[in-house]
Amino acid sequence: MSRRVLDWLFAVGFLALAAGIALARASPARTYEASVYAGTPTPVWIGVALALAIAVATALTCRGREQAVGIGLGATAVTTIVSLPVVRGYHFYGMGDALSHLGWTRDIVEGEMAAYELFYPAVHSLGSLFYVLGGIPIERGLLFALVVTFVPFLLFVPLVVRDLSGNGLAVGVAAIVSWMVLPINNIATHMGVHTNSNALFLVPVVVFAVVAYLRRRATIERLPFGLSPFSVLVYLSAITLLLVHPQQMVNVVVLVAAISALQWIVSRRSVDHPMLEQPTLHTQTVVLGTIFGAWAVTNQRFRDAAEGFVTGIFAADVGAGEEIDQQGGSLTEIGGSLAELFVTMFLDAAVVGLLVGCFLLLVLLGRTRLDTEGRALVTYFVAALVPLGGMFLLYFLGTPNMAFRQMGFIYVVLTILAGVAIAHGLGGLSRFVSRPGATGVAAVVLGACLVLGLLTVFASPIIYSPGQHVSESTFNGYETGMDHGVGDRPYAGIGYDPYRFDHGINGLEGEESLTAGTAASGELDAEAFNEGEYGGAYNDADHYLVVTAFDETREFDVYQGLRYEEAAYRGLAYDPTADRVISSDDFRMYDVTGDGEE
């Protein structure tokens, strides 16, 4: 294809994407949206799909400048998808930890605490900067911070692969796999203001620094104390990661330590191995481990988490088997199945993981065409995956939720290795079919996986988890209720504990934070609620019952009344013990008289 035709093709792709962004901006979300995908106008998706189709084709078939432009087009399209809550004017996105992070950011802005008092203050500080320098609301500032922390993932995955192999096809494949956003699994890692997940997107920066240190020689550009520019880059990127979330810093220390250990073993058993020509990571292991240790041991929250992890491993009811069985039974009751959910959420990850696994086995057997240095670098990752996988198993026994966070980190590594693995697989396939035929097969398979991956970047009813859009109406409803409610009266929710909104509205450090009402808040007793015993559904006490559009969507549309029956909810309007005190499109609050007071 001529350069002129390619230029026209890129122009079409960027114009389609720009038109989609403009249309999305002109179609803001007026009320709660259960799905970012369904709420965004169809023409927007047509423009994004056209841009991605051009990007996939050019990333696989072009090299040099043209490939770089194609990768840039694809990365821009995926960033657009991730930015939809910002583009479409969401007040906020995230209803769990995200609201607590919003509260901490509010505390920093309002002077209730200093940023350095937080264990991992980077995202909160970035959101505060957008507020202070840009004059935008704190909620939107954090959504901007989400986008800023995401972009390095798309930039550095192909850069790492370029350093690993130097193969143009591998770089293109790695870029496409990065667009699938495999580290997000919507179980323990989420696309939102969730610092553990946000940290995953910075891991490729640290890996790039490590690979650059191993592969490039900087004997001339030495800095004081024997440092090289690349070792400084390792330290700075790792410290940045630590400030975003320390759990991913732990994984980086394990990765670097595994490489260092392999280098030490090879140095003891060989005198001419290619690894001996590369600089060692012994010093980096000690320095990074020391930095993390000094940071962690002074923090009570880290010590509590470590204690809970150890306790979980030795507890009688360890493991996630019982929880999985329970979830599978619930899915069956509402017409779904674990198999269906696995295909939707994890098929693309499973395909990539299988391909990478086969490739790594061939590398260990010496059956690939990698050069000696490239083989050594890939072997380093194999060595690192062993302890990382062991940590996954330990988490699975102790705290299953943490296991899926660990899985997110492992898939950052697999995303990087996928570029090299699939490129070598295509080289082998081209022996049996033509090179264009092999590229066509790759485009179809990767394109299908890309669609699956992007469909599950955000939570939505398609994975039985409605989107965590916090509309302005919902936020204002909670704020009004907490401002004018009786101070010591608890707040209850249908399937969702309202205390997180106290965090987001009032912060966690000020005098108005965690009022007596929200400190005692919780979920309703489903059995009592379904029987119409509204006053007795919360410990027989007077309470405020909050119901949002999110609750209605999750409990009645997605869960189909599995826990809370819609008829019982409708009965609130006619019950003399329940007085509706706030009502809007997305928010209702009832003042419920407890049975114990009658």
Side-chain angles (χ1 to χ4, degrees):
M1 190 178 298
S2 69
R3 181 168 178 175
R4 181 180 178 84
V5 172
L6 282 173
D7 287 344
W8 277 106
L9 200 59
F10 289 137
V12 169
F14 279 108
L15 285 173
L17 187 58
I21 294 172
L23 182 58
R25 180 64 180 168
S27 307
R30 302 295 183 186
T31 58
Y32 168 75
E33 292 184 349
S35 170
V36 173
Y37 307 102
T40 301
T42 301
V44 176
W45 295 115
I46 294 174
V48 171
L50 179 58
L52 283 173
I54 295 171
V56 169
T58 52
L60 292 175
T61 59
C62 297
R63 300 293 179 267
R65 169 192 171 274
E66 288 77 14
Q67 185 186 51
V69 175
I71 290 174
L73 175 60
T76 305
V78 174
T79 302
T80 297
I81 295 174
V82 171
S83 304
L84 281 175
V86 176
V87 175
R88 299 197 55 244
Y90 279 23
H91 184 76
F92 193 62
Y93 189 87
M95 296 184 62
D97 289 350
L99 286 168
S100 295
H101 293 308
L102 172 61
W104 276 315
T105 307
R106 195 178 303 279
D107 287 332
I108 292 172
V109 168
E110 295 178 355
E112 298 290 349
M113 69 181 301
Y116 61 80
E117 295 180 68
L118 275 174
F119 190 32
Y120 37 90
V123 171
H124 316 83
S125 300
L126 188 56
S128 301
L129 281 176
F130 280 116
Y131 169 80
V132 173
L133 300 180
I136 62 178
I138 300 173
E139 296 82 2
R140 287 183 64 80
L142 278 177
L143 294 182
F144 278 118
L146 158 66
V147 177
V148 170
T149 55
F150 173 73
V151 171
F153 181 75
L154 304 181
L155 293 177
F156 280 88
V157 166
L159 288 176
V160 173
V161 173
R162 187 186 67 175
D163 256 16
L164 274 177
S165 71
N167 184 307
L169 178 60
V171 172
V173 172
I176 296 170
V177 177
S178 74
W179 303 340
M180 300 176 193
V181 201
L182 297 179
I184 296 299
N185 54 51
N186 281 302
I187 296 176
T189 58
H190 309 276
M191 185 57 73
V193 184
H194 185 249
T195 52
N196 193 294
S197 305
N198 304 145
L200 289 171
F201 301 132
L202 298 177
V203 171
V205 183
V206 187
V207 176
F208 171 80
V210 171
V211 173
Y213 173 79
L214 291 170
R215 184 137 200 173
R216 302 179 186 181
R217 307 296 182 258
T219 55
I220 300 177
E221 304 174 28
R222 284 289 171 185
L223 300 175
F225 307 106
L227 295 172
S228 76
F230 303 123
S231 61
V232 171
L233 183 60
V234 171
Y235 299 139
L236 292 179
S237 58
I239 291 171
T240 302
L241 183 65
L242 172 65
L243 295 177
V244 176
H245 201 284
Q247 182 179 350
Q248 305 310 338
M249 174 64 165
V250 172
N251 288 322
V252 164
V253 172
V254 171
L255 184 147
V256 174
I259 297 174
S260 174
L262 181 59
Q263 289 177 324
W264 183 83
I265 293 172
V266 169
S267 70
R268 291 294 180 272
R269 299 195 173 194
S270 176
V271 294
D272 59 353
H273 196 282
M275 290 182 184
L276 300 179
E277 300 177 7
Q278 297 169 335
T280 65
L281 285 172
H282 307 327
T283 302
Q284 284 75 11
T285 300
V286 173
V287 171
L288 295 182
T290 302
I291 290 173
F292 173 78
W295 186 264
V297 296
T298 58
N299 186 272
Q300 183 62 43
R301 184 173 180 180
F302 172 81
R303 294 196 295 271
D304 291 342
E307 181 181 347
F309 167 65
V310 174
T311 302
I313 291 178
F314 293 100
D317 54 346
V318 297
E322 182 178 347
E323 182 178 347
I324 292 173
D325 291 341
Q326 181 181 1
Q327 295 295 331
S330 299
L331 279 172
T332 302
E333 289 188 50
I334 60 178
S337 69
L338 281 176
E340 170 202 344
L341 196 60
F342 174 83
V343 169
T344 306
M345 296 179 66
F346 296 113
L347 180 61
D348 53 342
V351 170
V352 170
L354 179 62
L355 293 174
V356 173
C358 292
F359 170 72
L360 295 182
L361 180 60
L362 292 174
V363 170
L364 294 177
L365 296 175
R367 301 293 298 274
T368 65
R369 300 185 310 279
L370 286 172
D371 60 33
T372 54
E373 189 168 27
R375 189 180 304 113
L377 291 170
V378 171
T379 305
Y380 288 145
F381 285 100
V382 177
L385 285 171
V386 174
L388 291 172
M391 291 171 64
F392 171 81
L393 293 177
L394 286 176
Y395 281 132
F396 198 76
L397 290 174
T399 51
N401 184 65
M402 289 294 182
F404 284 95
R405 290 187 177 188
Q406 184 71 9
M407 180 179 172
F409 185 91
I410 290 173
Y411 262 94
V412 173
V413 178
L414 295 184
T415 296
I416 292 168
L417 293 174
V420 185
I422 296 174
H424 276 71
L426 291 177
L429 182 61
S430 63
R431 299 176 187 175
F432 305 98
V433 298
S434 65
R435 187 74 182 191
T439 303
V441 171
V444 171
V445 174
L446 290 173
C449 289
L450 179 58
V451 171
L452 271 178
L454 291 176
L455 273 176
T456 54
V457 166
F458 290 104
S460 71
I462 196 175
I463 57 173
Y464 301 97
S465 178
Q468 296 190 1
H469 171 205
V470 179
S471 67
E472 187 172 10
S473 176
T474 297
F475 201 83
N476 289 341
Y478 270 109
E479 189 170 25
T480 301
M482 292 177 185
D483 284 345
H484 299 285
V486 177
D488 60 351
R489 184 165 298 177
Y491 292 76
I494 296 181
Y496 186 80
D497 192 332
Y499 82 96
R500 292 283 197 175
F501 277 92
D502 188 12
H503 289 181
I505 292 168
N506 297 316
L508 286 82
E509 302 295 328
E511 294 181 0
E512 299 300 321
S513 302
L514 293 177
T515 63
T518 53
S521 67
E523 297 182 29
L524 290 177
D525 181 297
E527 183 177 353
F529 180 83
N530 292 335
E531 291 176 357
E533 300 175 2
Y534 306 115
Y538 190 79
N539 303 322
D540 296 325
D542 291 352
H543 62 277
Y544 293 116
L545 171 58
V546 175
V547 183
T548 67
F550 169 82
D551 299 321
E552 295 179 38
T553 300
R554 182 173 67 171
E555 299 300 331
F556 309 138
D557 296 341
V558 177
Y559 294 169
Q560 301 177 24
L562 182 64
R563 300 190 299 178
Y564 298 91
E565 296 175 3
E566 188 171 5
Y569 164 63
R570 301 301 174 196
L572 277 168
Y574 309 102
D575 193 275
T577 66
D579 181 19
R580 186 164 64 183
V581 292
I582 300 177
S583 180
S584 67
D585 291 338
D586 295 337
F587 183 91
R588 290 173 178 80
M589 189 170 86
Y590 299 85
D591 187 346
V592 181
T593 302
D595 289 346
E597 302 295 326
E598 295 182 337

